[in-house]
């Protein structure tokens, strides 16, 4: 039986995910049943007629804070069919997402992603119901929805059968700690620059050796910090 991911997303803007679930890698994964993606709107669990999910912060200050009760009820609903799922809050204060963290997430079949908005979530909800905090990096966007899409897309493409050629996934940047090698396609010559001869040689070993070398060179040039980790602290980068 094929590996499947069972994912839940808690968001006050579930409509943002409608086109996301119908197109590209995620659309294919959802349509094939390899990824189950269910949306939970905290407004559906609010207890007032206005379906309020936020309020002014205690102590004053700008903006609004997402209230704990509707978020809690949304998590409880998502947990009913995902008892083993960890609750992951998408926030700039979380652990930075990289390929290593992504692989850790991929080892688990179930996840519940919470998308924050406004000034964030009531801290009491975070302390009691959130298991992990995940960040795309040291910057701020308007909400966790885009971050959730990034994580879901990255997880989905790790599933065999989602991408057309699974070998291409294994050769992606960061998959083995190095950046990807350069890619070329037709035409053979573009603006007086030809495709490297080795790629048209038909010599598969020579092509592999060239690509391996290019991965190291590209990483050394663009992300030398990765090279030290991938090749070891004693890697000779003088060549």
């Amino acid at each position: 039986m094929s590996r499947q991911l069972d994912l839940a997303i808690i968001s006050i803007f579930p409509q943002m995910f409608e086109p996301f679930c119908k197109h590209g890698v995620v659309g294919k994964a959802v349509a094939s049943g390899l990824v189950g993606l269910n949306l939970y709107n905290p407004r559906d669990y609010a207890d007032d007629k206005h379906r309020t999910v936020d309020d002014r912060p205690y102590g004053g200050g700008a903006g609004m804070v997402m209230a704990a009760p509707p978020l809690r009820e949304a998590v409880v609903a998502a947990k009913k069919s995902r008892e083993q799922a960890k609750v992951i809050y998408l926030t700039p204060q979380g652990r930075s997402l990289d390929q290593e963290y992504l692989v850790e997430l991929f080892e688990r079949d179930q996840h519940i992603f919470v998308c924050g908005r406004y000034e964030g979530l009531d801290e009491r909800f975070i302390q009691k119901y959130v298991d992990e905090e995940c960040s795309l990096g040291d910057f701020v966007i308007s909400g966790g929805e885009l971050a959730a899409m990034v994580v879901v897309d990255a997880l989905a493409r790790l599933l065999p059968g989602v991408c057309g050629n699974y070998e291409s996934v294994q050769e992606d940047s960061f998959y083995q700690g190095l950046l990807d090698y350069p890619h070329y396609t037709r035409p053979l010559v573009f603006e007086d620059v030809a495709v490297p001869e080795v790629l048209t040689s038909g010599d598969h070993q020579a092509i592999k050796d060239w690509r391996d070398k290019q991965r190291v060179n590209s990483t050394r040039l663009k992300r030398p910090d990765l090279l030290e980790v991938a090749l070891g602290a004693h890697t000779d980068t003088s060549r």
Side-chain angles (χ1 to χ4, degrees):
M1 183 175 179
S2 300
R3 172 83 186 280
Q4 296 176 313
L5 296 178
D6 184 9
L7 309 178
I9 296 177
I10 296 174
S11 167
I12 61 172
F13 295 115
Q15 63 272 25
M16 291 180 64
F17 293 89
E18 293 176 5
F20 175 69
C21 293
K22 295 179 181 178
H23 302 284
V25 167
V26 174
K28 179 179 179 181
V30 171
S32 64
L34 293 175
V35 172
L37 194 60
N38 294 100
L39 298 164
Y40 296 83
N41 189 342
R43 293 192 188 280
D44 294 335
Y45 304 95
D47 59 4
D48 68 319
K49 65 178 182 180
H50 299 295
R51 302 169 73 194
T52 303
V53 295
D54 63 322
D55 210 332
R56 292 184 296 275
Y58 279 112
M64 304 289 276
V65 176
M66 293 189 71
L71 290 168
R72 176 195 59 202
E73 296 308 311
V75 166
V76 170
K79 281 269 192 180
K80 286 181 178 178
S81 59
R82 299 173 189 84
E83 294 181 359
Q84 304 304 315
K86 299 288 188 181
V87 178
I88 301 174
Y89 173 33
L90 297 154
T91 167
Q93 300 183 32
R95 174 181 172 183
S96 291
L97 184 69
D98 56 18
Q99 196 68 22
E100 179 182 359
Y101 187 18
L102 192 67
V103 170
E104 290 179 22
L105 295 177
F106 185 67
E107 291 174 352
R108 307 196 298 259
D109 293 333
Q110 298 180 337
H111 296 288
I112 298 172
F113 297 106
V114 179
C115 302
R117 279 273 161 178
Y118 314 124
E119 294 303 307
L121 314 184
D122 188 305
E123 185 66 22
R124 293 167 295 182
F125 169 81
I126 297 174
Q127 291 179 355
K128 189 164 184 178
Y129 292 96
V130 170
D131 299 300
E132 301 176 31
E133 298 185 19
C134 175
S135 170
L136 294 189
D138 296 337
F139 58 92
V140 178
I141 53 179
S142 298
E145 286 78 14
L146 291 177
M149 292 179 195
V150 168
V151 178
V152 171
D153 180 278
L155 288 173
R157 68 191 317 280
L158 292 180
L159 285 167
V162 172
C163 291
N165 185 345
Y166 192 63
E167 284 187 11
S168 68
V169 174
Q170 296 175 310
E171 294 177 352
D172 279 342
S173 293
F174 308 112
Y175 195 87
Q176 296 175 333
L178 298 173
L179 300 184
D180 200 2
Y181 54 77
H183 297 270
Y184 298 87
T185 188
R186 294 182 177 82
L188 185 63
V189 179
F190 173 68
E191 295 187 354
D192 297 326
V193 179
V195 173
E197 289 185 13
V198 65
L199 298 180
T200 61
S201 68
D203 186 333
H204 298 296
Q205 185 59 51
I207 292 172
K208 181 183 182 302
D209 292 343
W210 181 88
R211 285 174 169 170
D212 288 344
K213 182 178 180 180
Q214 293 302 312
R215 286 169 64 88
V216 173
N217 289 342
S218 181
T219 307
R220 178 185 291 122
L221 178 65
K222 300 176 182 179
R223 291 290 304 276
D225 57 309
L226 295 176
L227 187 65
E228 182 176 345
V229 174
L231 301 184
H234 300 292
T235 297
D236 181 8
T237 58
S238 63
R239 287 184 271 175

